[in-house]
Amino acid sequence: MVTRIKTSAKPVFVDRKDALVAEERFFERLRNNLHALQGIFNPLDGRTYDASARNRIEKSLDVRTAEVKHAIKRLAERDLQGLYEEMPKNRILLNEITHKELLGARGVKVVVAGAAFNPIEDLISSGRSARSMGGEELARIKDLIVAHPDVFYYLGAFATTSWDPGCRTLLIGPNYLIALCDRIEDAWRTYWAPDTRWRGAARAFDLAGEEEKIEAVHRFVRRRPFALLMDEMTEDYVFEELGYAIPIIREAFERIAAEDPFVRFDTGARPYRLIRTYG
Amino acid sequence: MNGSRMLENIKRILGLKDIPEELSSLYRGAHNEREALILLKEARRRDESRRRRALQDLEVFTQMEEELLEEGKGEVSESRRLMLARRVKEIRGKSEELNSRIDNIYNKRLRIFNEHIHSLETVLELTTEELPDKQAMEEMAIRAKELLENLEKSRELAEGIALSTEPPQPDEEEKQILKEMERRASLEAEKEEIEPAPPEPAEEREGVSEERREIRKERPREEPKRVENPEIEFEE
């Protein structure tokens, strides 16, 4: 019997610049995904609405940006403007999908939102942080965004550091679904609340392309030789860590095994895994 | 790359369609020493890289074991310490397995490969220059010896003949001619005794000859008359 043990993960620090860049990239990718979105499902009325540009209104909420400014004023002593420019802004981006009935006014049916989460106080005071984002802040922002009970909200919450495991319990509501996004070892990672209502909307928060994901799995495997040696590099393990779909993980495993003569893709038993071979 | 693919590549490089196993016992059906050497070197390279990989894996195990022991040292929870201990036990088991693989398989096999490669290289080196056939060499040596012996015999014979040969005996006519020669010689001798010729003074002759030599020395060598430019001569 093999003892599975979780070793204490080393904290990954993010500085102001990294956080700012990551935040900008998150919104850039989210926008790209939204442009590619043709229709979006509203679980409240069971209808799929046209999500093309003419039915989409992009809005930006400045509430949290103002909070960042206040925090800088409170914690920093000099060069406030310079500091503000360096800092991530904890932005919120709303994309309202509207629809006009034959006889009626145009109304918002679905909102696809993106929100960035940063350890603002740490970044102001010490310039860097490894603090993960907690459930409280997530719940606060969710309440801020989810304002109308007859509109369905899909929210992509991006943390430049990481998320507390407890946050996973807060992702499902009657008129909202939340996806937790972060970055692990230079790879985009998304955790979707397990819910059948996601349908095609889940793609909006899938921030990495297929090749990027395969490359990310490559890096992940390469940096964990111990898991490979202990026969623990399973597709489930990679799924837990990176959140990528199993077919993508298998594709990456196949490529790794084809490239490395000392690695074999063992499909003899589930979960499929990569194992060390010297043969 | 597995063994069969490597073999396929070698066949392609060597332009061979197939290498039947039963053709040769050199190594994996190689046709000749050179092919066997290539295959063996490939096999050695594969084993070396296996050993290198195994050693790197051992380092990973050692490092992880160290980390877990460190973690266990400061761990207060008994259950967590027990889990860490179990994990270390597993790692040690794997390390032992790997060490045994290195010692019992790779090291031994590499020694064998090295030995065989050395032998093949020696054979190839020695066969780069063709040696003459043994029988031909033997025949030639015998022939050379015989010829030398014949030569020696001929020489001895020649010497033997030279020692035993008497001077040729003249026949009757020759005897008469010889007598005639002797007679003439005695006649000339008698004539010289009756009219002796006045001897020339040796000193005088020597002096004259020396004088002549000096004259030869002193006389400057006549320069060949140079033919001047005819036009210039005409103007003068």
Side-chain angles (χ1 to χ4, degrees):
Chain A
M1 196 184 100
V2 178
T3 313
R4 284 292 300 270
I5 193 166
K6 276 214 166 188
T7 51
S8 49
K10 287 169 191 164
V12 179
F13 282 90
V14 175
D15 61 18
R16 289 174 198 149
K17 190 184 161 192
D18 288 343
L20 179 63
V21 170
E23 190 183 286
E24 283 173 359
R25 285 191 183 156
F26 166 71
F27 286 110
E28 187 186 314
R29 284 176 182 250
L30 180 62
R31 274 203 188 92
N32 287 342
N33 287 354
L34 287 169
H35 286 310
L37 218 58
Q38 297 297 313
I40 195 147
F41 179 68
N42 183 345
L44 296 176
D45 57 14
R47 288 174 67 184
T48 299
Y49 292 97
D50 178 9
S52 58
R54 66 193 169 92
N55 291 326
R56 205 172 60 229
I57 301 165
E58 189 179 298
K59 289 180 180 173
S60 187
L61 278 186
D62 293 334
V63 184
R64 297 176 78 216
T65 312
E67 285 172 6
V68 173
K69 281 180 189 169
H70 287 304
I72 289 172
K73 280 178 195 166
R74 185 161 44 88
L75 298 167
E77 289 167 358
R78 56 192 165 81
D79 192 20
L80 304 187
Q81 183 59 35
L83 191 57
Y84 178 71
E85 281 167 13
E86 275 182 14
M87 284 289 291
K89 310 294 185 292
N90 271 356
R91 287 164 57 199
I92 296 174
L93 187 80
L94 300 177
N95 270 268
E96 293 177 347
I97 314 299
T98 61
H99 180 74
K100 187 182 180 308
E101 297 294 344
L102 194 61
L103 299 169
R106 180 172 284 277
V108 178
K109 299 294 178 185
V110 179
V111 172
V112 183
F117 291 77
N118 291 282
I120 293 295
E121 294 193 356
D122 288 355
L123 290 176
I124 294 168
S125 54
S126 62
R128 61 175 205 152
S129 177
R131 192 165 60 83
S132 58
M133 296 290 99
E136 252 180 59
E137 179 70 354
L138 179 66
R140 186 173 77 85
I141 301 308
K142 184 262 298 174
D143 290 342
L144 196 72
I145 294 168
V146 181
H148 304 284
D150 52 343
V151 176
F152 197 85
Y153 294 85
Y154 294 104
L155 172 60
F158 172 62
T160 50
T161 49
S162 60
W163 289 103
D164 280 346
C167 293
R168 293 192 175 187
T169 57
L170 308 168
L171 309 181
I172 300 168
N175 67 330
Y176 68 88
L177 284 173
I178 300 175
L180 296 179
C181 309
D182 60 4
R183 281 175 68 78
I184 177 171
E185 296 175 13
D186 307 322
W188 294 97
R189 176 171 67 171
T190 303
Y191 175 78
W192 288 270
D195 197 292
T196 52
R197 293 175 295 172
W198 275 108
R199 298 207 184 174
R203 281 201 297 273
F205 307 116
D206 189 2
L207 302 167
E210 194 170 315
E211 282 304 315
E212 278 181 311
K213 286 176 185 171
I214 288 171
E215 184 52 39
V217 176
H218 260 257
R219 277 199 303 274
F220 185 83
V221 172
R222 211 165 37 235
R223 290 172 185 174
R224 284 162 183 77
F226 182 67
L228 182 78
L229 294 176
M230 299 302 282
D231 300 338
E232 289 166 4
M233 189 54 78
T234 62
E235 54 191 12
D236 288 358
Y237 173 50
V238 178
F239 175 76
E240 276 171 31
E241 294 294 320
L242 295 178
Y244 298 157
I246 294 293
I248 285 177
I249 296 169
R250 285 182 186 170
E251 170 67 23
F253 276 10
E254 272 175 16
R255 289 197 200 176
I256 292 166
E259 285 168 16
D260 191 340
F262 299 110
V263 175
R264 188 161 65 83
F265 184 27
D266 183 16
T267 55
R270 283 178 194 269
Y272 294 174
R273 68 190 67 211
L274 289 177
I275 56 170
R276 170 66 82 227
T277 176
Y278 302 96
Chain B
M1 196 180 284
N2 60 30
S4 62
R5 267 179 69 187
M6 184 61 68
L7 195 61
E8 284 302 316
N9 284 345
I10 289 164
K11 277 192 266 183
R12 190 167 46 77
I13 292 162
L14 296 171
L16 300 168
K17 282 182 183 170
D18 197 16
I19 302 176
E21 292 276 340
E22 65 274 15
L23 271 185
S24 165
S25 59
L26 285 167
Y27 182 68
R28 299 194 64 179
H31 284 86
N32 54 41
E33 287 83 2
R34 200 169 293 280
E35 274 179 31
L37 191 61
I38 292 168
L39 291 170
L40 270 163
K41 281 186 173 176
E42 278 300 323
R44 181 174 66 177
R45 189 194 58 74
R46 284 195 299 274
D47 253 3
E48 278 171 348
S49 97
R50 283 183 191 117
R51 184 171 64 177
R52 197 164 41 245
R53 168 55 65 192
L55 288 169
Q56 284 168 356
D57 289 349
L58 268 179
E59 272 178 37
V60 172
F61 281 134
T62 311
Q63 195 185 338
M64 188 49 77
E65 187 185 324
E66 196 61 36
E67 277 179 28
L68 293 177
L69 285 171
E70 272 301 304
E71 199 183 329
K73 198 173 70 181
E75 185 60 56
V76 285
S77 155
E78 273 303 312
S79 61
R80 173 83 181 165
R81 275 166 70 96
L82 184 60
M83 277 174 76
L84 290 168
R86 279 183 186 156
R87 190 65 158 168
V88 169
K89 189 180 158 191
E90 280 167 18
I91 292 170
R92 285 184 181 167
K94 289 246 178 194
S95 294
E96 264 178 42
E97 200 180 295
L98 206 51
N99 263 321
S100 148
R101 184 187 278 267
I102 292 167
D103 286 342
N104 295 331
I105 302 174
Y106 305 138
N107 286 348
K108 283 181 183 172
R109 212 153 58 184
L110 281 167
R111 272 199 292 276
I112 294 165
F113 284 146
N114 284 337
E115 192 57 42
H116 198 28
I117 284 169
H118 176 70
S119 303
L120 279 169
E121 279 176 342
T122 309
V123 168
L124 281 169
E125 187 67 28
L126 287 171
T127 51
T128 48
E129 291 297 336
E130 188 105 2
L131 288 174
D133 181 51
K134 266 186 195 172
Q135 200 182 343
M137 267 173 70
E138 204 177 328
E139 281 171 7
M140 281 301 132
I142 292 165
R143 205 174 143 197
K145 199 178 171 188
E146 279 173 3
L147 286 170
L148 280 171
E149 281 172 3
N150 285 347
L151 184 68
E152 186 62 21
K153 276 178 190 167
S154 299
R155 186 188 64 79
E156 281 174 6
L157 186 68
E159 281 177 3
I161 289 165
L163 286 172
S164 61
T165 306
E166 289 176 359
Q169 297 298 316
D171 58 10
E172 283 305 312
E173 194 182 348
E174 287 166 347
K175 278 177 185 173
Q176 280 180 6
I177 293 165
L178 286 168
K179 276 179 185 173
E180 197 181 327
M181 283 176 182
E182 282 170 10
R183 212 168 39 241
R184 281 193 179 200
S186 60
L187 274 173
E188 274 185 18
E190 280 171 13
K191 212 185 249 181
E192 279 175 5
E193 278 175 14
I194 296 162
E195 297 173 5
E200 229 176 289
E203 286 178 7
E204 197 180 323
R205 274 190 308 223
E206 282 175 2
V208 170
S209 64
E210 279 179 6
E211 199 179 314
R212 280 180 187 164
R213 249 180 258 147
E214 278 171 10
I215 289 164
R216 272 185 207 141
K217 278 182 188 173
E218 281 172 9
R219 191 186 293 167
R221 198 174 170 185
E222 281 183 12
E223 290 285 322
K225 199 176 179 182
R226 291 177 68 187
V227 180
E228 300 291 335
N229 193 333
E231 285 179 17
I232 296 166
E233 274 184 352
F234 179 74
E235 280 173 7
E236 282 173 350

